[in-house]
Amino acid sequence: MEIFTMLFFFTSLLFSILSISNTKDIITPSVSIRDGETLVSSGGSFKLGFFSPGNSINRYLGIWYNEISPQTVVWVANRENPLTHLSAGALNITDQGALVLLSDTNRNSIVWSSNTSIKFIRKPVAQLLESGNLVVKDGNELVWQSFDYPTDNLLPGMKLGWNSKTGLNKVLSSWKDADDPALGEFSFSIDRSGYPQLVVKKGRRAQYRLGSWDGLGFTGSPELRSGNELFKFDFVSNESEVSYKFELLKDALHSRLLLNLSGSLQRFMWVDKSQSRNIIYSAPVDRCDTYNLCGAYAFSFCKLGIDPQCSCLQGFVPKSPRDWNSKNTSLGCVPKTPLGCSNGDRFQSFTRAKLPDTSSSWIDSTMSLEECKKMCLRNCSCTAYANLDISEGGSGCLLWFGELIDIKEFDSGGQDLFVRTALLDDIKTSKPSGVKKKVAIIASVGLLVMGVIILGLVFYKRKKKLKAQGKMKNIREKNFDFECGNEDMELITFDLATVSRATDNFSNNNKLGEGGFGPVYKGILIEGQDIAVKRLSKCSGQGIKEFMNEVILIAKLQHRNLVKLLGCCIEGDEKMLIYEYMPNKSLDYFIFVATCLLSTVVDGLFSIKSDVYSFGVMVLEIVSGKKNRGFIIQTTSLTF
Ligand SMILES: *[C@@H]1O[C@H](CO)[C@@H](O)[C@H](O)[C@H]1NC(C)=O
Ligand SMILES: *[C@@H]1O[C@H](CO)[C@@H](O)[C@H](O)[C@H]1NC(C)=O
Ligand SMILES: *[C@@H]1O[C@H](CO)[C@@H](O)[C@H](O)[C@H]1NC(C)=O
Ligand SMILES: *[C@@H]1O[C@H](CO)[C@@H](O)[C@H](O)[C@H]1NC(C)=O
Ligand SMILES: *[C@@H]1O[C@H](CO)[C@@H](O)[C@H](O)[C@H]1NC(C)=O
Ligand SMILES: *[C@@H]1O[C@H](CO)[C@@H](O)[C@H](O)[C@H]1NC(C)=O
């Protein structure tokens, strides 16, 4: 056994030394690559040849980095069908342009073939491009390429995904183990069952999602997006292809994306051609990336650093609270209030989201977010919507139907998801985050303050009205005690000196006329306002109470047909009413009607009818030339 291994080691070494001089740059029907010989890319970055992985003695045809040590294989041709003997293999190209891997030991049996069968072949040539792509060309026509049959590495320019022209679905698949490049358990592919998304699966089960394309990158990996100086990511989804690829923006850079043995994606990047150990990104990033960690029926999300990691979306509650409380979140969450469909559901925004599984999603790239919302609202089974593309301010529409599965909340990055909830669910029931919370608080406080002000106003008005009604009642009951200048009445108390000064000490020159109640004087206040002063001192039989009743009634009426009462003056025997002075107008009101018709108010209540009545009285007075001394108004209702 020992001797065999030793022998193998030395022969390998011998072949390695020999292969230095055994490099070729093309394969043609007359030029083949035998074990020990290699095909080198034009710029010298990649090499194609036979190798034995890890501790295996099996021989495989593969492509690896030319200058990187230890040997880093990026593509394997015969991963399922190894050659079992050293130096037994040869790679030929047929006249039909098919690459064939032949085994010497078994009468040139075909171990692996590119299966190409092109008619009209002129001169087939196989070549290893500087990108690491092994191509077969017929003239300028590309007949076959290794990039269409990926192994576990995605190289720059290599497309993952589906192509309708070739019918191929390009998938990365992990090695079985470090010694065996055979198909392992893990695959990395574009899931096309709904809106395309990148998924890593173990067998048929999803392990984690990088998610759907958001215009800049994939929703599950906000760290790595277009717009940086190093990478350009490209996603195409149309009738002819659904694909993802990355490109490097600087020539000096090298990078690859590996689906490793344990199912993780590792992105390597390096500057020096011979160094490959720089891992700049790996997925899954954390436990929250584990597919569907927070429940089968979902409507839940995962966030690191909070306990428990799984929470229900706003407006949703655990399907099984008992399980949930004992940290078994496998059943997920359900709507707290059943969704009401078209009769008034609404949407709650969830920020910094890794968007949910899109395997049953629908898209429209032309719709605005508002149209998207309406579209979602119209369909009862639509549970959420989001912008399809977040570059350039956001565009397009992405809709979800049914459960929302596998949502993660990022600390930063991510995008807005609008989740349908019942109208009745309150903001208070859950924890809105960040800016939303602030807005909610400000809005609530604002509403509260407004409410208090409105309530205050209503109470104030009501109180005022009640008070006024109370006063009217008091007037009727004649037990009213009132102070001139009460602010409720908006009346000013004038002192005798002021009135006296304004009317030039009640001079006869200022006298406008005289009624049964007493004389009326014109006056000017210091402020310059013209006033008319009714001096009631001679109005017989009128006590303070009666006078005040008049004041209140006139003030309350402030009737458009009456002159505005500004205030009053009570000092000693003097009782005066101070009116706005209206030149050429309403003088008769002062003199004959407006005042002395009141002292006699008993059950009388004022209304518009009072005017009509007063007008009648005035007409009679004018006709008869006699003054009326008082009357009773007999109306029963008061309509201010
Ligand atoms: C493979 O190519 C070599 C060299 O061109 C040739 O000698 C050999 O016959 C070829 N084998 C087959 C099976 O075509
Ligand atoms: C070529 O065809 C064989 C038999 O149909 C198949 O097993 C093999 O996987 C194919 N090879 C490629 C590279 O598609
Ligand atoms: C799909 O997109 C690719 C890449 O942008 C483009 O070359 C191709 O013409 C498109 N096909 C259709 C049917 O739009
Ligand atoms: C796969 O990648 C992950 C993440 O970088 C790493 O932790 C793990 O050790 C790798 N597995 C192997 C077998 O290299
Ligand atoms: C979690 O709860 C589900 C449903 O009740 C149950 O089937 C499952 O066994 C539980 N898992 C654990 C780990 O307890
Ligand atoms: C709602 O959307 C689903 C999924 O696209 C569709 O099957 C269903 O017909 C739609 N229902 C209505 C009423 O439009």
Side-chain angles (χ1 to χ4, degrees), residues 298-299 312-319 321 332-340 345-346 348 419-431:
F299 293 114
C312 291
L313 290 171
Q314 205 172 313
F316 294 80
V317 290
K319 187 175 166 82
C333 307
V334 289
K336 193 167 71 181
T337 310
L339 299 181
D345 284 335
R346 63 193 180 118
Q348 306 230 1
V419 180
R420 188 185 205 126
T421 49
L423 194 62
L424 296 174
D425 282 327
D426 272 338
I427 301 159
K428 64 178 182 242
T429 57
S430 189
K431 31 187 172 179

Side-chain angles (χ1 to χ4, degrees), residues 112-113 115 149:
W112 173 88
S113 165
N115 292 344
Y149 303 89

Side-chain angles (χ1 to χ4, degrees), residues 48-84:
L48 175 136
F50 292 83
F51 73 99
S52 293
N55 297 320
S56 170
I57 55 163
N58 287 335
R59 301 299 283 172
Y60 296 89
L61 178 73
I63 298 171
W64 59 87
Y65 287 100
N66 192 16
E67 292 172 30
I68 289 171
S69 172
Q71 187 183 56
T72 307
V73 176
V74 295
W75 183 75
V76 185
N78 57 326
R79 62 191 300 189
E80 298 290 342
N81 303 300
L83 294 155
T84 48

Side-chain angles (χ1 to χ4, degrees), residues 537-602:
S537 55
K538 294 190 179 81
C539 209
S540 62
Q542 207 180 33
I544 271 277
K545 267 183 187 164
E546 287 83 348
F547 172 70
M548 285 320 301
N549 284 342
E550 178 180 355
V551 172
I552 292 156
L553 273 172
I554 293 172
K556 269 288 164 196
L557 282 169
Q558 291 294 351
H559 200 281
R560 64 178 179 276
N561 292 345
L562 291 175
V563 188
K564 193 177 179 204
L565 179 68
L566 293 176
C568 54
C569 171
I570 307 166
E571 255 181 72
D573 280 347
E574 295 282 356
K575 302 185 209 75
M576 284 177 276
L577 293 173
I578 293 94
Y579 291 91
E580 219 177 9
Y581 176 69
M582 312 278 282
N584 313 326
K585 237 173 119 185
S586 308
L587 198 53
D588 282 358
Y589 265 30
F590 287 126
I591 298 165
F592 301 121
V593 186
T595 319
C596 273
L597 86 166
L598 300 166
S599 54
T600 47
V601 174
V602 182

Side-chain angles (χ1 to χ4, degrees), residues 260-262 264 266 282:
N260 79 8
L261 291 173
S262 32
S264 288
Q266 292 177 299
S282 70

